[in-house]
Amino acid sequence: MDVVKEIIQNSAIGPLSNGYKGLVLSLFASIVGTLLTMLIVLLRYGPEMTIQFGY
């Protein structure tokens, strides 16, 4: 936990208040969670999907 606190303290969100730090970290975690979910769905159902590119 000390390493995480050190990284946060030396990052751009270091001088922000704890509320903003929590908001930024929760936003980051939700983006990462969404990306992991999309990756799992793509790996699971990818061969069965029909993907068409067009305008």
Side-chain angles (χ1 to χ4, degrees), residues 17-32:
S17 68
N18 287 338
Y20 285 123
K21 284 181 192 178
L23 181 66
V24 169
L25 291 176
S26 65
L27 178 65
F28 177 75
S30 66
I31 291 170
V32 170

Side-chain angles (χ1 to χ4, degrees), residues 3-55:
V3 175
V4 174
K5 287 182 182 178
E6 184 74 23
I7 291 171
I8 291 173
Q9 198 63 27
N10 291 330
S11 69
I13 63 171
L16 297 176
S17 68
N18 287 338
Y20 285 123
K21 284 181 192 178
L23 181 66
V24 169
L25 291 176
S26 65
L27 178 65
F28 177 75
S30 66
I31 291 170
V32 170
T34 302
L35 289 174
L36 287 174
T37 303
M38 290 170 63
L39 177 64
I40 291 169
V41 168
L42 183 61
L43 290 175
R44 173 65 180 99
Y45 298 109
E48 300 150 7
M49 288 183 181
T50 303
I51 301 173
Q52 297 178 352
F53 296 99
Y55 294 102

